[in-house]
Amino acid sequence: MNHLLSIEDLDREAIERICDRAASFAEVAGREIKKVPALRGRTVLNLFYESSTRTRSSFELAAKRLSADVVTFAASGSSVEKGESLKDTILTLNAHKPDVIVIRTPWAGSAQLVTGWSPAQVVNAGDGKHEHPTQALLDVHTLRSKLGALDGLDVWIVGDVLHSRVARSNILAFQKMGMRVTVCGPPTLIPRGIEALGCTVRHTLDRLAEADVVYALRMQHERMDQAWIPSLREYAALFQINAARLSPHQILMHPGPVNRGVELSGEVVDSPQAAITAQVEAGVVVRMAVLYEVLAGSRASAAAPSAEGALA
Ligand code: NCD
């Protein structure tokens, strides 16, 4: 694997390989010294043009646990505020000779563009409404750790699918793992034609009990340029996942940040059914596996050390 831009770049075998490697890195996370030398001497540049808590901190921690040198660069406080373009920013940062550029922006397709401007391997940490592949990988890893094989399981992705890069990546990844995907939300928040991805569309939660996994999405206010729903109160009345709607056998997921009282009630966020903290934990080890894969891994088939070797 060279770059990681989209889940479309990965087949099931690659997803499983990354998750298996993440599981071996989880062993490192349990040690007192949580560091391995796998990427010693490599430079990882985290470039964030959008706010982030989980993704940014976990990429940084992942790179550090692999002994890479890390520079985390937020657009605010940089020359981006003075009007420097993405292309000029990348050309400037190339002078630091990064081996990997991890990039998040509000623009769909930006990670792909960066591959043309830099010799570094590029990892998409969210490009506008398009994709967020490492989120999908950490979600698959979280579910595999809890449930084992995912074939034949039903997942419902509920909420603002229209503005969600997580939805797109997760629909693709869950299906590649053999799951059946239903997307559910008000018609204004479900992209027209999304069935073409192979998922079922519903506009009510009436059959939510069929789901094994309920994956709630955040209402993406920052990407809404018009009124997509009558009010948050009405949205919550129809689509909020709360204790009355969640069945005891279901696993509840959410990529964070959660709007408590909107897409999820506080009660379900804090319930043992919620895998939300497990998702964040998985974020570090899955991103370690992705960084390893795009660097050492791309050469692993020839000469580089195996993941097991890297753990020494
Ligand atoms: C998601 C994102 O930024 O796309 N968050 C994340 O990476 N954990 C989802 C969101 O912001 O709603």
Side-chain angles (χ1 to χ4, degrees), residues 54-55 104 132 135 165-166 218 220 255-257:
R54 284 146 278 266
T55 306
R104 162 171 291 193
H132 192 356
Q135 179 70 43
R165 53 193 172 207
V166 174
R218 183 175 66 88
Q220 307 260 316

Side-chain angles (χ1 to χ4, degrees), residues 2 12 32 39 41 45 51 54 60 65 76 91 111 119 132 152 154 157-158 169 182 264 281 289 301 309:
N2 288 320
R12 178 176 177 149
E32 196 179 339
L39 299 188
L45 198 67
S51 52
R54 284 146 278 266
E60 185 166 340
R65 288 194 175 162
S76 70
L91 296 180
H132 192 356
D154 274 291
I157 300 178
V158 181
S169 291
T182 298
L264 296 180
E281 258 182 68
S301 41

Side-chain angles (χ1 to χ4, degrees), residues 35 76 101 128 134 145 257 265 293 307:
K35 218 170 163 97
S76 70
I101 295 178
T134 59
S145 309
S265 70
E293 180 94 4

